Amino acid sequence: MKERILVVGSLNMDMSIYTDRIPRTGETLSGRSFIMSPGGKGANQAVAAARLGGFVSMAGCVGADTNGKALLKNLKDNNVYTDHIRQVQDKTTGVAVIIVDKDGDNSIILDAGANASMDIEYISHIEYVIRESDYILMQLEIPMPVIEYVCKIAKKHGKFVVLDPAPAVQLKDELMQNVDLIKPNETECSILTGIDVNSLQDAKKAADIFIQRGVDHVVISMGENGIFYFNGQSEIHIPALHVEAVDTTAAGDTFTGALVSRLATGKSMEDSLKFAVVASGLAVTRKGAQSSIPCLHNVEKYMRREL
Ligand code: RIB
């Protein structure tokens, strides 16, 4: 049986320019190409989870503008239930300006826009949705009091709470105690634990810190070095796919959405981690955020052939 996933998070319109390198301060560079496509860490993870087989609803805020309408349409087209997304009258929809270099690496600057209007009052209106869901998936692109509140009531209702701590900021112990699974990348790991992850031993030390702070499952994504999982007893290391990276935007979001969608269909942690590694590996071979997320068929086909 498929369990229900609720994503509470951000929605942005991404403006991505592809160029050879990131410009220096004061420099004007010509890009090679431009795309405008749906993004936002919350919406990316919602689309990834839905496209990869999950039963997904999203709560968040967009402006009452063209970008907001386009983002909502794209979520609906991807089978994400959008009735809990609020259109805020006097705010613009969140925007991300992204520069992608020749190696597919990116730099992102954000204007939160309507994402900043997410508040506790709104969440208390939709507490019943949290109660009716099984997995609650969050990131850090909406106000921190909202994140802390959602994690607290989700935990109170016995839900499985997943936090992708991006973009990273320090987190309170109480929040950590309400999180079941955390998925930082190396940079986020270093901000949150003070450990630079350069090896599996470093990853284990960092994971231990999260476990001591009250999290049950830790997944550290290490780029080309794959992922490391630890739950205080068992550890799993899965190497990354070897692919030609075109655009790494939303690779982490694809990973987290894929992981949760697979867990929500009752698969084991190890199977779900492998599935998520393949999904995010395939995502970096395509441009854009939501436009790069592969479908279930392609991920399963790759898994049958290569793993
Ligand atoms: O994680 C990638 C996302 O970060 C982009 O889609 C952009 O909108 C920012 O939220």
Side-chain angles (χ1 to χ4, degrees):
M1 196 191 84
K2 268 192 209 175
E3 294 186 297
R4 289 163 188 249
I5 301 165
L6 172 67
V7 180
V8 184
S10 60
L11 302 98
N12 298 325
M13 185 56 86
D14 290 355
M15 321 260 172
S16 307
I17 295 194
Y18 296 82
T19 178
D20 284 342
R21 60 177 175 80
I22 311 291
R24 285 186 288 268
T25 306
E27 184 183 27
T28 302
L29 268 185
S30 288
R32 278 184 276 110
S33 60
F34 167 78
I35 58 167
M36 192 160 114
S37 63
K41 295 187 196 302
N44 295 345
Q45 294 183 17
V47 167
R51 208 177 273 173
L52 293 166
F55 184 29
V56 185
S57 300
M58 180 164 184
C61 290
V62 291
D65 52 16
T66 333
N67 283 342
K69 287 192 186 99
L71 296 184
L72 286 175
K73 180 178 182 313
N74 188 62
L75 287 177
K76 284 182 193 145
D77 290 348
N78 281 285
N79 294 321
V80 176
Y81 186 74
T82 58
D83 277 13
H84 310 301
I85 298 177
R86 202 157 52 123
Q87 287 182 273
V88 185
Q89 286 310 320
D90 53 352
K91 289 280 157 61
T92 51
T93 295
V95 167
V97 174
I98 306 180
I99 303 173
V100 183
D101 71 16
K102 63 174 181 351
D103 300 318
D105 291 325
N106 61 51
S107 298
I108 304 182
I109 183 159
L110 278 180
D111 178 60
N115 293 304
S117 303
M118 198 74 182
D119 58 20
I120 291 178
E121 197 194 336
Y122 183 62
I123 297 297
S124 34
H125 285 131
I126 59 159
E127 185 169 341
Y128 75 96
V129 187
I130 297 177
R131 231 178 11 240
E132 287 168 358
S133 305
D134 301 289
Y135 287 80
I136 309 297
L137 174 52
M138 303 199 72
Q139 316 72 33
L140 301 180
E141 276 184 349
I142 57 171
M144 187 54 84
V146 176
I147 297 163
E148 291 170 347
Y149 183 71
V150 172
C151 291
K152 190 169 149 188
I153 56 173
K155 196 68 184 175
K156 180 183 92 187
H157 292 304
K159 308 305 170 186
F160 192 90
V161 179
V162 178
L163 181 68
D164 190 331
V169 288
Q170 294 306 327
L171 301 173
K172 290 186 186 154
D173 281 339
E174 193 196 341
L175 170 63
M176 293 287 225
Q177 284 152 16
N178 290 329
V179 170
D180 293 288
L181 185 153
I182 195 162
K183 199 245 63 170
N185 66 19
E186 300 142 295
T187 315
E188 290 144 10
C189 215
S190 141
I191 295 170
L192 291 167
T193 66
I195 294 182
D196 290 332
V197 177
N198 297 311
S199 64
L200 290 177
Q201 285 76 12
D202 295 338
K204 172 107 184 269
K205 275 189 210 148
D208 246 331
I209 294 178
F210 288 113
I211 301 274
Q212 280 158 27
R213 291 186 71 189
V215 180
D216 292 333
H217 305 267
V218 183
V219 181
I220 301 174
S221 57
M222 305 176 295
E224 289 170 0
N225 296 318
I227 62 104
F228 176 79
Y229 166 85
F230 189 54
N231 64 1
Q233 289 170 339
S234 359
E235 54 184 78
I236 301 170
H237 172 234
I238 299 176
L241 292 199
H242 290 292
V243 290
E244 182 105 3
V246 171
D247 182 353
T248 56
T249 310
D253 298 331
T254 303
F255 179 91
T256 309
L259 176 66
V260 174
S261 75
R262 195 73 167 177
L263 288 172
T265 53
K267 294 287 197 284
S268 70
M269 183 60 77
E270 184 157 4
D271 173 276
S272 303
L273 290 167
K274 281 182 185 156
F275 178 81
V277 164
V278 172
S280 60
L282 295 179
V284 305
T285 63
R286 301 189 198 144
K287 286 184 177 177
Q290 287 158 45
S291 51
S292 72
I293 299 167
C295 64
L296 182 60
H297 170 75
N298 284 352
V299 177
E300 289 187 331
K301 190 166 136 198
Y302 190 98
M303 284 180 87
R304 276 196 301 273
R305 212 180 52 211
E306 303 286 338
L307 299 178

